[in-house]
């Protein structure tokens, strides 16, 4: 099967897939009972939601936690909600303190156990590009900051991954997705403009962009996944990038179900 996609315009309303989450109640619990109880309430409400909804909601709460508790809020976060709490607390810190805080935040990440550390570094990547901006030059600049400040961060999931995810979803400032506009003839527009050393990680995050920007998702999810697989064969980074792209399709489809 194949699908017809209309170009998405940047002026469209943000995508919010968290409509069943009672944000007002979560804010009330945070105000009256603190961060731990608010996080527990979010986890309870999100238990039966797709991972994508859980993750977006966690980004919303993470910013509220940071605004209330500062970097101490990171102690509330765990692996639930696809690590979204870590991502958002750290990106809020970068947003608040600026790029000068990256070194300090890296030290905080270093105190965490390995999977939490990666999620923390991923959040730094979100914060870096959200601070610098979402243009082509800013993507390359953000990746260079990751390389300089977090040279040992995992290539796909760490700081670089945070840069690409934030560039795709643009949710740093209000917790809602404002995706990069999609045009069928420009499926690889970001990867075509970045340095060769980042082609694999760029390709890995492309399916998340396609799923975020194409709304509504076609009802035949299996056919849509197959079509994305054909798009992966167009990756400008060659065979390796194509394989990274294909490997991530299952993750993004699973997050929707």
């Amino acid at each position: 099967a194949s699908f017809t996609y209309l170009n998405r315009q940047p002026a469209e309303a943000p995508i919010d897939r968290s409509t069943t989450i009672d944000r007002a109640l979560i804010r009330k619990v945070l105000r009256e009972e603190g961060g731990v109880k608010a996080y527990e309430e979010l986890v309870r409400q999100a238990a039966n939601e797709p991972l994508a909804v859980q993750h977006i909601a966690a980004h919303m709460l993470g910013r509220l936690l940071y605004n209330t508790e500062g970097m101490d809020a990171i102690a509330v976060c765990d692996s639930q909600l696809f690590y979204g709490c870590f991502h958002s607390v750290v990106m809020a810190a970068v947003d608040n303190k600026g790029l000068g805080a990256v070194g300090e935040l890296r030290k905080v990440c270093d105190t965490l156990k390995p999977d939490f550390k990666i999620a923390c570094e991923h959040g730094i990547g979100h914060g870096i590009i959200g601070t610098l901006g979402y243009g082509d030059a800013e993507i390359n600049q953000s990746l260079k900051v990751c390389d300089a400040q977090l040279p040992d961060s995992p290539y796909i999931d760490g700081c670089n991954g945070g840069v690409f995810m934030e560039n795709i979803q643009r949710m740093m400032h209000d917790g809602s997705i404002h995706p990069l506009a999609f045009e069928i003839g420009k499926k690889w527009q970001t990867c075509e403009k970045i340095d060769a050393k980042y082609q694999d990680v760029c390709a890995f995050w492309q399916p998340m962009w396609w799923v975020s920007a194409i709304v509504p998702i076609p009802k035949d999810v299996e056919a849509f996944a197959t079509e994305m697989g054909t798009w992966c064969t167009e990756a400008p980074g060659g065979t390796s990038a194509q394989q990274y792209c294909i490997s991530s399709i299952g993750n993004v489809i699973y997050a929707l179900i």
Side-chain angles (χ1 to χ4, degrees):
S2 62
F3 307 96
T4 300
Y5 304 99
L6 298 177
N7 295 344
R8 291 183 51 81
Q9 301 303 317
E12 291 186 31
I15 300 165
D16 185 352
R17 291 172 174 152
S18 306
T19 53
T20 64
I21 303 295
D22 187 342
R23 298 186 178 203
L25 175 59
I26 291 167
R27 289 189 179 95
K28 181 176 185 289
V29 173
L30 176 61
R31 228 176 15 252
E32 297 178 359
E33 302 182 53
V36 171
K37 291 295 184 182
Y39 188 70
E40 289 175 353
E41 174 61 25
L42 175 58
V43 170
R44 184 191 68 77
Q45 288 191 31
N48 296 317
E49 298 287 350
L51 285 177
V53 172
Q54 293 182 21
H55 191 73
I56 293 166
H59 270 256
M60 173 274 299
L61 178 58
R63 175 166 285 277
L64 294 176
L65 287 170
Y66 177 79
N67 291 343
T68 304
E69 303 180 8
M71 276 307 293
D72 289 343
I74 206 163
V76 175
C77 303
D78 60 20
S79 60
Q80 298 181 92
L81 313 179
F82 211 50
Y83 298 94
C85 177
F86 283 110
H87 297 175
S88 191
V89 167
V90 178
M91 66 198 279
V94 179
D95 189 26
N96 177 252
K97 297 183 177 184
L99 295 183
V102 169
E104 171 194 345
L105 294 171
R106 184 194 67 229
K107 292 177 183 177
V108 173
C109 296
D110 287 343
T111 67
L112 304 173
K113 67 180 189 177
D115 57 331
F116 290 5
K117 178 176 183 288
I118 294 170
C120 181
E121 293 172 350
H122 181 98
I124 292 177
H126 274 271
I128 291 170
I129 191 169
T131 299
L132 289 174
Y134 300 109
D136 297 331
E138 286 78 10
I139 295 173
N140 280 297
Q141 185 181 355
S142 298
L143 294 167
K144 289 175 182 176
V145 173
C146 283
D147 286 350
Q149 296 285 342
L150 297 93
D152 298 322
S153 188
Y155 179 63
I156 297 294
D157 298 328
C159 188
N160 288 337
V163 167
F164 283 107
M165 184 177 179
E166 180 62 25
N167 181 63
I168 289 164
Q169 298 191 327
R170 305 184 180 198
M171 61 194 302
M172 174 167 161
H173 300 292
D174 66 3
S176 293
I177 294 179
H178 304 259
L180 175 66
F182 178 86
E183 296 181 36
I184 192 66
K186 298 182 179 179
K187 297 185 294 291
W188 290 95
Q189 61 184 33
T190 298
C191 300
E192 289 170 348
K193 297 172 183 176
I194 63 166
D195 295 344
K197 66 182 289 189
Y198 304 114
Q199 287 297 325
D200 286 352
V201 63
C202 185
F204 180 86
W205 289 96
Q206 284 296 105
M208 178 174 283
W209 172 41
W210 300 332
V211 165
S212 298
I214 298 170
V215 177
I217 297 295
K219 291 183 179 179
D220 189 341
V221 175
E222 183 177 346
F224 181 45
T226 300
E227 180 146 347
M228 285 195 290
T230 66
W231 296 353
C232 286
T233 65
E234 302 170 20
T239 303
S240 179
Q242 293 167 16
Q243 291 172 346
Y244 272 97
C245 177
I246 290 169
S247 73
S248 74
I249 291 174
N251 293 335
V252 297
I253 293 297
Y254 176 69
L256 294 173
I257 325 180

